[in-house]
Amino acid sequence: MANFATHVGVAAVVSTMTATAYLATGRIDSYEALVLSVIGTLGGILPDIDAGHARPLRIIFVGFYALVAFSLVQQGAGSLSILEMWLLLIMLYIVFQYVLLDIFKRSTVHRGIYHSILMAVFMGLLFTSISHAWFQFPAHYAWLSGFFLGLGFIVHLLLDELYSVDFNGRRLKKSFGTAFKLINPKQWQHNVLLIALIVVLLQYTPPTWQFKRIVWNPATYEKMGQGFFPKQWPWEKL
Ligand SMILES: [Zn+2]
C-alpha cells in the first residue's frame, strides 16, 4: 500500500494538472481551479479513512467537523448568543471525536467497501450535494467539486494497486486486487446499501446541464488539444 505522503503528493499533482487543463479552456477561473485541486487532493486521502488509527481518518473527521460547524455558525449567527454557539461547537466536537469516530472505527474493515469504485461514485455524489446545499456552490461548480473528489479517490485506488506489484521480484503481493475494485465482493450487503444511498442522493444533486457543457463537451477537449503544445517551440525562436 502506498503511504500517506505518496497519496497526498500524487493526488495533488493529478488534480492540479486536471484543473489546469480545464482552466486553459476558459471554462473555469483560476480561483475555482485552485479550490478544485485542493478538493481532488482531499479525495486522494479519503479511501484510507477505514485504516483505523491512521492520520487520514483524523484529518477527514476534523475536516468534516469544520464543515458542519461552519454551516451551524452560518445558520445560528444572529439568533444565538456567542456562549450558546461556543457550547454547541464544543458539544459537536465531543460527538464527532468520541462518538462518531468510535462507531466508525468499529464498523469498518480496511480495504473493504471504502476501496471500491462504487464508494468513489457515492463520495463524489455526496460531495456534489453537500457543496450545493450547504456551501451554495452553483450547480456546475458543485458537480465539478464532486467530480474532482471522485478523481482523487480513484487515483488513490490505482496507487494502492500499483504498490501491490513487487517490481523487484516481478510478482504480485497478496494485496493485489483489494484496492481497485468495482464493488466489495466480500460483503454484498454493503454494496446494496451503497447503491440504495446513491439512488437517494441522485434526488438531491443539482441539475447537470451546465456541468455537462464543460466536462461532456467535445469542444472543451478540442480547446484543450489546441492549447496543449506551445504555439512556438523555444528552438523555433532561434
Ligand atoms: Zn488505501
Side-chain angles (χ1 to χ4, degrees):
M1 134 186 199
N3 66 27
F4 185 70
T6 312
H7 278 308
V8 173
V10 176
V13 170
V14 173
S15 45
T16 309
M17 280 167 73
T18 313
T20 311
Y22 282 113
L23 175 65
T25 65
R27 305 279 199 266
I28 55 172
D29 64 34
S30 53
Y31 173 73
E32 289 172 332
L34 177 72
V35 175
L36 291 174
S37 312
V38 174
I39 293 170
T41 310
L42 275 177
I45 51 174
L46 199 51
D48 276 350
I49 54 171
D50 63 4
H53 296 277
R55 239 182 319 178
L57 183 62
R58 290 209 164 268
I59 296 175
I60 296 290
F61 259 75
V62 167
F64 198 53
Y65 166 75
L67 293 181
V68 177
F70 177 73
S71 73
L72 200 83
V73 168
Q74 232 180 2
Q75 280 160 25
S79 60
L80 292 175
S81 67
I82 296 174
L83 183 67
E84 282 171 312
M85 294 261 249
W86 280 4
L87 287 175
L88 258 177
L89 290 176
I90 292 167
M91 264 164 48
L92 190 69
Y93 184 77
I94 293 170
V95 169
F96 261 84
Q97 207 59 17
Y98 299 102
V99 183
L100 291 181
L101 193 68
D102 206 52
I103 294 173
F104 191 86
K105 272 187 196 163
R106 278 167 210 263
S107 62
T108 53
V109 184
H110 188 44
R111 291 288 177 91
I113 188 80
Y114 278 88
H115 281 72
S116 69
I117 298 169
L118 193 63
M119 185 57 91
V121 173
F122 170 73
M123 289 290 185
L125 288 173
L126 182 67
F127 199 73
T128 303
S129 320
I130 289 176
S131 53
H132 186 62
W134 284 358
F135 314 138
Q136 261 113 51
F137 281 9
H140 75 284
Y141 191 39
W143 273 105
L144 274 171
S145 309
F147 174 68
F148 269 76
L149 191 92
L151 176 76
F153 204 102
I154 299 277
V155 167
H156 178 112
L157 302 185
L158 286 171
L159 255 184
D160 272 352
E161 216 53 278
L162 198 69
Y163 270 71
S164 65
V165 183
D166 185 347
F167 288 105
N168 290 322
R170 291 211 190 90
R171 62 191 170 81
L172 298 175
K173 289 180 195 158
K174 241 198 193 141
S175 61
F176 186 76
T178 58
F180 194 70
K181 53 188 191 291
L182 189 61
I183 56 166
N184 181 11
K186 290 200 182 112
Q187 277 150 315
W188 60 267
Q189 63 271 42
H190 287 177
N191 302 320
V192 173
L193 178 69
L194 211 52
I195 292 169
L197 285 172
I198 288 173
V199 173
V200 173
L201 263 181
L202 282 171
Q203 319 298 314
Y204 294 96
T205 47
T208 53
W209 65 272
Q210 273 176 306
F211 169 68
K212 281 191 196 149
R213 243 178 44 184
I214 300 173
V215 175
W216 251 262
N217 187 351
T220 300
Y221 300 98
E222 246 167 62
K223 227 171 171 186
M224 237 180 237
Q226 284 161 9
F228 194 77
F229 292 110
K231 294 213 167 34
Q232 197 182 17
W233 294 96
W235 53 86
E236 288 174 333
K237 290 178 193 151
L238 296 173

